[in-house]
Amino acid sequence: MISHIRGNCLARVAGLLLLLIIAACGNLENASVQETSLAAQTEQPSAHIDTINTQALANEEEGSEAVSLGVSEGGSGVREGRGGGSQAKLSEQAVDVVAQMYEALEAGNQPAYLKLADIPEMRHSPAKTQALFDEARKRKPHADRFKLLGKQELDEESRELLDITYGSQAEIVLEELSQGDRHVWIVTIFPDGAKVVDQSTIYPGAYELGRNASIEELVQASILKLIDDRQFLASKHKTPLFTPVQTVALIYQAAQEGNEEAFFAACGGEEGFFAGGRAGDMLEFTQWMSKFGSVLSFPIQELARTHLNAEYTAEYDGRFGPDWHFVAAMDPDDRYAHRGTYWILTPNNDATRYVVREAFTTELDPFLNDAFKAQLR
């Protein structure tokens, strides 16, 4: 009897040790994943960047076609789970995104910078991008130099303009410079991660507000100025400043926040598919976001014309002209039938933004040609 009990005890101890070893291995594996830093993901910095060509790099990235319709593992910043549960909200991560952008700037690492920032003014001006890199090298970023400015600190008009222009989940990060000067960085979230999407500089007495103007007043004035500058930049270059995929991401952001005004604006306002829309138009997408919790949690991908059946490309050419874009928001739980919502977008009348021309939730298989479906299997 004693030997039987002793044998059982030894077996239990051995089993417990085995479980502890398995758990330890799992922890080591998780730790190795979590320790991946910006520096580990990027190349070694060059001593000097002779030529800054952000547009060429951006075009190179957009030109590479991804075959998989799975959730992207790239990007930066916040990662959220389904059902609205988040590991970290963008409001808690926005400062880190700006700090990581500075690491890339200071290191002269252009590819890493482009993963963390997409500022239209910098995209269209290599000289300004070079100046941004040069400025970053002059001072070390310190954590206490950056501060999140809660949107609740802004007046109602500024909050609405911020949501309509940069997305309902956009956040504002202030960076202290010297003598009361500050950079204003705007961060929002896309399928490939959180990105810095705009920047301005405020200083005491800026915008003719007087030296006693509050930070909030200066930020509000800078938002108005940024929006005017963006409109001018888009008109000058005759190109939307957000990509089709980014535009669709802003639509889902607005739906998640229950922001009808931002939702209809992102869809294209009175030019768009939901012109004169009802509150119920947004409901389907709000329910989708309540299931997945973030634009990071499901694939949003533009499909090339070569991925679609020829009969559909011919139909869309006839209905929308040659410059249309097919963006699919996929349900990752239904990857075999590829069920989701497809969005067809074209530039608006003055080519300054993308407008939704059609949106429909269905199985996407009928739209895909056999060659592309074979690649997905």
Side-chain angles (χ1 to χ4, degrees):
M1 177 65 72
I2 293 175
S3 63
H4 177 69
I5 294 173
R6 183 179 297 167
N8 287 341
C9 291
L10 290 173
R12 290 178 182 175
V13 170
L16 180 58
L17 287 173
L18 180 60
L19 289 175
L20 290 174
I21 292 171
I22 293 172
C25 291
N27 288 336
L28 286 172
E29 182 179 353
N30 290 337
S32 65
V33 173
Q34 293 173 0
E35 286 172 3
T36 302
S37 63
L38 177 66
Q41 297 171 10
T42 57
E43 305 171 359
Q44 290 297 320
S46 58
H48 180 71
I49 296 180
D50 295 323
T51 303
I52 300 294
N53 191 346
T54 57
Q55 188 62 53
L57 276 174
N59 290 340
E60 181 181 341
E61 289 186 0
E62 290 176 5
S64 59
E65 293 182 1
V67 172
S68 173
L69 287 178
V71 179
S72 170
E73 298 294 337
S76 60
V78 58
R79 282 286 180 270
E80 295 195 12
R82 298 188 179 189
S86 64
Q87 298 175 6
K89 295 180 180 179
L90 180 58
S91 60
E92 298 168 351
Q93 294 294 309
V95 169
D96 292 338
V97 172
V98 176
Q100 290 171 17
M101 179 197 70
Y102 258 99
E103 290 179 16
L105 288 170
E106 188 183 25
N109 193 325
Q110 194 176 355
Y113 165 77
L114 290 175
K115 290 180 180 179
L116 294 157
D118 186 8
I119 303 174
E121 185 179 23
M122 305 301 171
R123 186 196 314 157
H124 290 286
S125 175
K128 289 185 177 179
T129 309
Q130 179 67 67
L132 190 65
F133 274 85
D134 292 341
E135 180 187 358
R137 292 193 187 96
K138 294 177 182 177
R139 60 183 187 277
K140 294 281 186 181
H142 300 289
D144 57 357
R145 205 175 81 205
F146 304 103
K147 174 186 176 184
L148 185 73
L149 177 68
K151 291 190 289 187
Q152 69 276 7
E153 302 295 327
L154 304 178
D155 61 26
E156 184 176 355
E157 179 187 8
S158 299
R159 289 198 305 272
E160 290 177 355
L161 289 173
L162 186 75
D163 290 345
I164 289 173
T165 307
Y166 302 103
S168 299
Q169 296 173 347
E171 297 289 349
I172 301 170
V173 175
L174 296 180
E175 176 194 357
E176 291 189 14
L177 302 174
S178 60
Q179 299 178 348
D181 295 356
R182 290 174 173 83
H183 280 326
V184 178
W185 301 98
I186 298 179
V187 183
T188 196
I189 192 165
F190 296 123
D192 56 344
K195 288 183 182 291
V196 180
V197 292
D198 224 332
Q199 179 269 338
S200 68
T201 303
I202 58 176
Y203 53 89
Y207 308 109
E208 300 181 355
L209 290 177
R211 296 189 62 84
N212 294 325
S214 67
I215 296 298
E216 292 77 14
E217 290 174 314
L218 292 169
V219 170
Q220 288 163 183
S222 74
I223 290 173
L224 295 175
K225 181 65 165 54
L226 279 173
I227 292 172
D228 285 343
D229 291 345
R230 288 175 69 87
Q231 185 66 28
F232 172 78
L233 190 64
S235 299
K236 176 182 177 182
H237 292 278
K238 297 298 180 185
T239 181
L241 300 185
F242 286 128
T243 69
V245 168
Q246 290 173 339
T247 301
V248 172
L250 297 184
I251 292 170
Y252 281 102
Q253 273 193 36
Q256 183 175 13
E257 299 299 321
N259 190 328
E260 293 178 19
E261 186 176 359
F263 176 85
F264 290 115
C267 289
E270 291 304 315
E271 288 187 56
F273 182 69
F274 296 107
R278 304 168 299 277
D281 291 332
M282 189 177 70
L283 181 60
E284 172 187 350
F285 310 106
T286 301
Q287 292 172 340
W288 176 281
M289 295 306 292
S290 69
K291 174 182 179 181
F292 292 106
S294 167
V295 295
L296 293 168
S297 299
F298 59 95
I300 302 177
Q301 179 177 332
E302 180 172 357
L303 301 184
R305 292 166 182 256
T306 55
H307 296 158
L308 305 177
N309 275 324
E311 61 185 283
Y312 286 108
T313 60
E315 176 189 342
Y316 297 149
D317 282 340
R319 292 173 59 192
F320 307 117
D323 192 8
W324 53 268
H325 301 263
F326 189 105
V327 176
M330 306 300 301
D331 185 341
D333 294 333
D334 194 8
R335 62 182 59 191
Y336 294 104
H338 303 116
R339 183 172 179 80
T341 299
Y342 74 78
W343 304 81
I344 297 178
L345 302 93
T346 70
N348 68 342
N349 293 334
D350 59 5
T352 58
R353 61 177 177 166
Y354 284 106
V355 170
V356 175
R357 301 301 182 184
E358 188 168 314
F360 198 78
T361 300
T362 184
E363 291 183 358
L364 295 182
D365 262 19
F367 297 90
L368 307 178
N369 59 37
D370 292 337
F372 184 59
K373 282 190 283 190
Q375 295 179 59
L376 295 177
R377 294 190 183 100

